[in-house]
Amino acid sequence: MDTYTGTIKPELKIQELTAEKVKFILTNVDLSMANALRRIMLSEIATIAIDMVEFELNTSVLADEFIAHRLGLIPLDSTEAEKIKYSRECNCNGACKECSVELNMHVKCTEEDITKDVTSRDLVSSDPRFTPIQEGPKDPGILIAKLRKGQEIKVKCIAKKGVAKEHAKWSPCAAVAFEYDPFNKLRHTKYWIEEDEQREWPASRNAADDFAPGDSEAFDFNARPNRFYFEVEV
């Protein structure tokens, strides 16, 4: 990074960090570097997701393919994903403990006049490091299907390591966006103005952390963006 930016090192300041969102300011980098970081976060961070589903029994109203698609999109805890090998790097004949995680689910509705929800809480992982994401003990889990009396689902799932550029189920986040130059000092945005620019185009919330232009400040034709406001939804 010193070679890229000279003597000025990139800086990252975290503004907000929760279980669902991360906000930070990235400075001293080029626009291309900021966009590359956005694309890497979206598509090149490895996670664990269900890749194969074997149905032993399914008497629900949903087709096997429909349930398998839902199972693939259930987020799994991937904190230790780096300890799992990619399938292409493993010498096994399909799946083993080195490159995969087995999850089983067996749910049957036995009560009359009751609709039983099948959720991600019903998935039992063979490895406690890789389990469906839950917000807490009261989280009901992600709905997969609904069963009536006599209906049953029994499946075996194989979760593997991958990245989102192969399939969206491996995406580590829901959305990544960034903004720069909230005061439009670089004039990269052309506003449609009818009467008053400030009233019709109020500054974004990131303007509070930026540097407002002076009333008599001259336009700098050589200026380049180097301060970026990121927001990541996970």
Side-chain angles (χ1 to χ4, degrees):
M1 296 300 289
D2 290 343
T3 303
Y4 177 78
T5 59
T7 58
I8 302 177
K9 293 184 178 180
E11 294 183 4
L12 190 149
K13 177 184 177 183
I14 297 178
Q15 295 178 296
E16 182 181 348
L17 178 61
T18 66
E20 299 179 350
K21 182 170 62 175
V22 181
K23 292 179 63 179
F24 62 89
I25 303 175
L26 180 65
T27 56
N28 300 332
V29 298
D30 190 68
L31 176 58
S32 60
M33 180 65 74
N35 191 50
L37 177 61
R38 179 189 67 86
R39 296 185 63 169
I40 288 171
M41 286 191 288
L42 279 171
S43 62
E44 297 194 32
I45 297 178
T47 62
I48 306 296
I50 292 174
D51 190 49
M52 295 188 296
V53 180
E54 179 182 334
F55 284 84
E56 184 175 332
L57 185 62
N58 177 24
T59 57
S60 70
V61 297
L62 300 179
D64 292 358
E65 295 82 2
F66 195 96
I67 296 176
H69 182 262
R70 285 190 168 186
L71 288 169
L73 294 177
I74 292 175
L76 304 179
D77 189 338
S78 301
T79 306
E80 300 189 34
E82 71 278 358
K83 297 182 180 179
I84 294 288
K85 294 181 180 179
Y86 287 101
S87 296
R88 57 181 176 269
E89 298 174 349
C90 193
N91 296 322
C92 68
N93 293 323
C96 68
K97 293 182 179 180
E98 296 293 324
C99 67
S100 64
V101 179
E102 183 178 318
L103 298 97
N104 291 279
M105 183 177 72
H106 186 195
V107 184
K108 182 177 182 179
C109 181
T110 58
E111 299 182 45
E112 194 75 43
D113 298 327
I114 293 294
T115 299
K116 186 175 183 62
D117 291 344
V118 181
T119 71
S120 56
R121 277 185 168 274
D122 297 310
L123 284 167
V124 180
S125 175
S126 62
D127 191 331
R129 298 175 300 172
F130 306 104
T131 57
I133 296 289
Q134 295 179 5
E135 295 184 357
K138 295 184 179 180
D139 183 5
I142 299 172
L143 183 65
I144 300 171
K146 292 188 176 185
L147 304 178
R148 297 290 288 182
K149 183 179 180 181
Q151 295 179 336
E152 185 177 1
I153 297 177
K154 187 176 183 180
V155 297
K156 181 177 77 172
C157 308
I158 302 297
K160 295 187 176 183
K161 182 178 178 178
V163 293
K165 64 181 179 182
E166 299 176 27
H167 194 286
K169 65 186 175 184
W170 281 298
S171 179
C173 50
V176 181
F178 70 83
E179 179 190 19
Y180 66 90
D181 190 23
F183 290 104
N184 198 31
K185 292 182 289 185
L186 302 175
R187 301 181 185 175
H188 286 183
T189 302
K190 179 66 175 179
Y191 294 138
W192 176 279
I193 304 171
E194 294 185 354
E195 295 180 359
D196 182 78
E197 178 181 343
Q198 293 185 352
R199 181 172 58 84
E200 296 171 15
W201 296 95
S204 71
R205 57 186 176 184
N206 292 320
D209 297 301
D210 208 277
F211 309 100
D215 295 334
S216 58
E217 183 177 331
F219 177 69
D220 185 358
F221 289 90
N222 297 317
R224 302 178 66 181
N226 67 348
R227 187 178 180 88
F228 305 91
Y229 303 89
F230 274 82
E231 184 167 345
V232 184
E233 295 181 7
V234 297

